[in-house]
Every structure is written in C-alpha cells, then in structure tokens.
Amino acid sequence: MAIDIKERDKKYIAGTYKRNPLALVSGKGALAYDETGREYIDMTSGIGVNAFGFADKEWQQAISNQAAKIQHASNLFYTEPCSRLAELLCKKTGAYKVFLSNSGAEANECAIKAARRYSYLQYGPGRHYIITLKNSFHGRTLLTLTATGQDSFHKEFDPFVEGFLYADAFDIAEMKKFIEEYPVCAVMMEIVQGEGGVRALDKQFVAEVQSLIKDKDILLICDEVQSGNGRTGEYFAYMHYGLQPDIVTTAKGLGGGLPIGATLFNLKTQNALSAGSHGSTFGGNPIACAAACSIVERIDEKLLQEVTKKGTYITGELTGSKGVKSVSGLGLMLGIETERPVQELVSACIQRGVLVLTAHEKLRLLPPLNIEWEQLKKAVEIIKEELAK
Ligand SMILES: Cc1ncc(COP(=O)(O)O)c(C=O)c1O
C-alpha cells in the first residue's frame, strides 16, 4: 500500500508549518511534480532557495563529484570547496573574509556576534546596541528573533537578548534619535524586506543611514539572506544603492537547495572574529560548498540582466492589472498587494498549477532565476486571471 505522505507528516512532524495540501516529489527547472504526477510552475523556488530550479544538472554534478571525494572533514582540517567558495564570494563582492555556516539565521547570529566583538575590541564593553528596522525579519533563533522588528515574534519566548532597538524604515528621525541616545555598535537591515512584505527600502533613507553612521564607526550589516545571490538583479541588493556595508549575510539561494549560510566581512571587520570566538560543526561543509560554488560561478552579468528583464516583465504585466493594488520589490523578488484575500489566491493558483508564496498580506513571487520565458509567461497569465476574480 502506498504511504500517505501527508498523513504520516501530520502524525510525526512537529506542527510548526501550515503546509499546502500537496507533496512535491520531483522537479525539473521551474517545473514541479506532486505525488499524483501533476505538474506545477514553481514561482517560489523553495522560498528563494532553488536559484537554478529543481534538479539542475551542474549543481547535481558538483554535489555528486564532491560526495564521491570527501563529504565532511570538520573545521580542524582544510578542505578545497570551502576556500574556493570564500574566494568566489570575495571576488564577486570585494569582501575580505567569509565565515560559512548552515542557514540565514546562523549567518545573522555570526554577524551580530562579530559586530559586538568588533566594538568590544575597539572601545571596550557597553557599546553593544544594534538597531534593526521595524517590519524586518532576521531568523528564528532567539538572537535573530530578537533582531526581527515585528512585535508578533516577540511573544511567548521571552526573555530575549538585550540591546536591540527597532527604527522606522521610512522615517530617519527615529534612527537618528537612537544613534544619539544609545551606545550603538551596528545598524542591521534587509535592503528589500522579504517576509515583512517585499518592500525595497527608500534610497534616500538608506543614504541617510549610511551618512549618520559613517563618522561614528557604527557598522552597517546588510541581511541579504533572501535578496542575495542574484535575486534582485545585482549580486546583492545593496549594490543597487551604492552602499558599502561592513558585514553582509546571505543563505537561501547560495546553496541552490543545500543548506549553507555565509557572513562576509570587509577590510575593517575582517578580524572581528578570531580563533575560538565562533564556529560551526557543519559550517563550510564540502558538499554544501561545492554546490554553492556551482551556483555563485554562474551568477554573471548576463544572468543578472535576465533577472532584471523578467522582474520588469512581471511588474509590467501586474501593475494596474485588475485586482492588483500595488507591486513592490526588485528583480525576481516581488510582492503583490491584492484585492482578493491572499490565502484564497494561493489556493486558487495551486489549483491552476502555479505555486506562489505570501509575505504578510501580499502575494510573493520568487521564481527560479533561470525560469524559462514560456513558463514565466504562462504562470503570470494564470496569476493575473486569478487576481482579477
Ligand atoms: C532576510 C532573512 N533573514 C534571515 C532569514 C532566516 O533564514 P533561515 O530560515 O535560513 O534561518 C530569512 C528567512 O526567510 C530571511 O528572509
């Protein structure tokens, strides 16, 4: 008798997820197949993870080649893919050093620890405040939940970590006040807020933040967990803004589907962490790093231009379309404010063979970066029809 995947999951998996009523069993590129063999166009890429879609050939090859050599060695030894990935990331972005971990939350934990330690080493104890933005999302560990600027996350798990302040993302006055009144070591922000509703920060606000912190040696941390690795049409979203962050975090699309996180340090912060001050058993795992190399290597100018073109196409099709109040985001990281209730839309799109996401009250689209034009056009047409109902 066939195993009922959904029933078994409901029985044994901790109930932290509200799953859609289908099990995905295979895929190819932007096409996914459920347990009955039904085909879907994937506009989610596993929440921005499967950068090159399902079962990408180069990615598969990189993983199987590495698995046949060495799958893990611990960080007590050098392994080749780990330094290759770090070199690739530094060369792409101008960073000086990279710490490798396993998820976005861990990349952010590392960034926050490094910012506090940098300040401690330079100025001694007490200068430990971190300003994040209201409506932000930085992860699910206690520290990154604390960093997350949404009240709904700040319940039931207290006490939280001390020393966080939440500034308005669209009014510089609050940020200014915090910087004047508190001993602040870093400002941390998503340039495009993802979970909080796919909102790109205002360019003037971002420039004002940079100028406020410049002479005070307050570090700028950009959380590019969701917006990084080509998702917005630049390697990192901060590059659209001409920003020079001190620390950048990323994960999701970096591994193309294997768990990996990275924290990138600039010239100033490169020695903020030293031997024994941070670590991770699985961080820098050779298979995850080989997978990530196969992704990062292919995020070139041509791909970034395609991402921009596809994002512009979706935005153009949906802006002003019936049932659409607004479209926000950058590149292939888009949020649609809808007239129809968003959960109803997700179900309707799935029924029509298109997988979509939500972000708060918005419909969120994060298709694979290399989705084929024909698949994209078909998915957008269906989404458009459902939005109009
Ligand atoms: C901007 C941002 N930061 C951090 C995280 C946490 O990443 P992870 O779930 O890999 O820990 C996410 C996840 O959605 C995110 O979007």
Side-chain angles (χ1 to χ4, degrees):
M1 202 174 81
I3 296 164
D4 188 321
I5 301 168
K6 288 174 261 181
E7 284 313 311
R8 188 176 60 185
D9 191 294
K10 278 181 201 149
K11 187 164 173 199
Y12 292 110
I13 292 287
T16 60
Y17 303 109
K18 235 194 209 160
R19 301 200 201 277
N20 290 305
L22 66 156
L24 297 181
V25 294
S26 67
K28 186 75 207 140
L31 298 177
Y33 299 90
D34 72 9
E35 74 274 36
T36 68
R38 187 169 175 211
E39 185 178 278
Y40 300 84
I41 302 175
D42 178 29
M43 297 291 279
T44 74
S45 52
I47 322 189
V49 167
N50 303 327
F52 289 94
F54 296 107
D56 171 67
K57 269 271 167 299
E58 277 186 50
W59 177 82
Q60 274 184 59
Q61 205 61 58
I63 291 170
S64 52
N65 287 349
Q66 187 55 45
K69 285 188 204 154
I70 192 163
Q71 83 276 25
H72 178 80
S74 91
N75 281 307
L76 299 175
F77 302 95
Y78 294 99
T79 54
E80 191 274 334
C82 170
S83 56
R84 181 156 47 100
L85 176 61
E87 182 183 30
L88 269 173
L89 286 170
C90 287
K91 291 203 162 147
K92 283 240 178 250
T93 65
Y96 279 69
K97 288 258 197 290
V98 179
F99 179 86
L100 293 166
S101 54
N102 314 285
S103 66
E106 282 179 68
N108 285 339
E109 287 265 347
C110 173
I112 294 166
K113 281 180 72 178
R116 285 196 168 168
R117 192 160 189 270
Y118 171 86
S119 186
Y120 191 96
L121 297 178
Q122 298 288 322
Y123 305 101
R127 192 177 173 273
H128 60 262
Y129 278 86
I130 313 248
I131 305 174
T132 65
L133 298 183
K134 286 177 184 157
N135 217 35
S136 57
F137 184 82
H138 296 296
R140 298 275 189 174
T141 63
L142 264 182
L143 178 61
T144 56
L145 263 189
T146 311
T148 293
Q150 299 186 52
D151 289 343
S152 57
F153 287 98
H154 295 166
K155 284 184 205 154
E156 299 165 359
F157 296 108
D158 53 321
F160 287 94
V161 183
E162 277 179 43
F164 281 83
L165 299 160
Y166 311 100
D168 193 312
F170 293 89
D171 176 7
I172 197 71
E174 202 164 19
M175 176 79 69
K176 217 171 184 170
K177 183 169 164 281
F178 287 153
I179 287 174
E180 278 163 11
E181 291 179 5
Y182 290 85
V184 174
C185 67
V187 171
M188 177 169 180
M189 56 197 193
E190 299 159 87
I191 297 299
V192 184
Q193 294 188 326
E195 306 296 314
V198 202
R199 300 189 306 173
L201 295 182
D202 179 61
K203 285 209 162 142
Q204 195 185 332
F205 172 82
V206 170
E208 280 175 343
V209 171
Q210 178 114 72
S211 84
L212 271 179
I213 64 179
K214 200 174 72 208
D215 300 328
K216 297 188 171 65
D217 202 17
I218 294 172
L219 302 179
L220 178 62
I221 306 172
C222 285
D223 177 345
E224 298 266 1
V225 167
Q226 190 166 149
S227 56
N229 310 297
R231 174 59 52 192
T232 69
E234 286 283 359
Y235 193 87
F236 284 130
Y238 74 75
M239 294 170 174
H240 292 283
Y241 290 67
L243 271 183
Q244 281 153 357
D246 300 293
I247 303 177
V248 179
T249 63
T250 193
K252 286 190 182 281
L254 177 63
L258 283 195
I260 186 164
T263 309
L264 282 61
F265 299 101
N266 73 354
L267 178 64
K268 185 157 86 175
T269 57
Q270 62 176 320
N271 299 315
L273 296 173
S274 56
S277 62
H278 197 52
S280 160
T281 296
F282 288 114
N285 170 271
I287 298 176
C289 288
C293 286
S294 86
I295 299 293
V296 178
E297 272 164 359
R298 285 182 285 161
I299 303 175
D300 56 12
E301 210 36 58
K302 190 164 162 250
L303 181 85
L304 294 175
Q305 279 174 17
E306 269 292 290
V307 167
T308 303
K309 244 197 226 165
K310 285 170 184 165
T312 307
Y313 168 78
I314 302 174
T315 307
E317 283 294 308
L318 298 184
T319 304
S321 177
K322 192 163 175 235
V324 175
K325 291 187 194 163
S326 69
V327 182
S328 61
L330 268 178
L332 287 177
M333 181 173 177
L334 294 170
I336 303 146
E337 200 187 352
T338 64
E339 275 169 19
R340 244 180 117 180
V342 78
Q343 275 309 334
E344 188 184 304
L345 266 163
V346 171
S347 305
C349 287
I350 291 177
Q351 295 267 326
R352 303 269 318 266
V354 179
L355 306 180
V356 291
L357 294 160
T358 63
H360 278 208
E361 74 297 346
K362 288 185 185 171
L363 198 70
R364 178 170 39 152
L365 304 178
L366 298 170
L369 305 181
N370 64 346
I371 186 170
E372 288 175 16
W373 274 101
E374 227 171 89
Q375 294 162 347
L376 181 67
K377 285 182 177 170
K378 192 169 162 199
V380 169
E381 200 46 51
I382 290 169
I383 293 168
K384 216 168 150 178
E385 282 170 19
E386 289 304 324
L387 284 162
K389 282 184 185 166

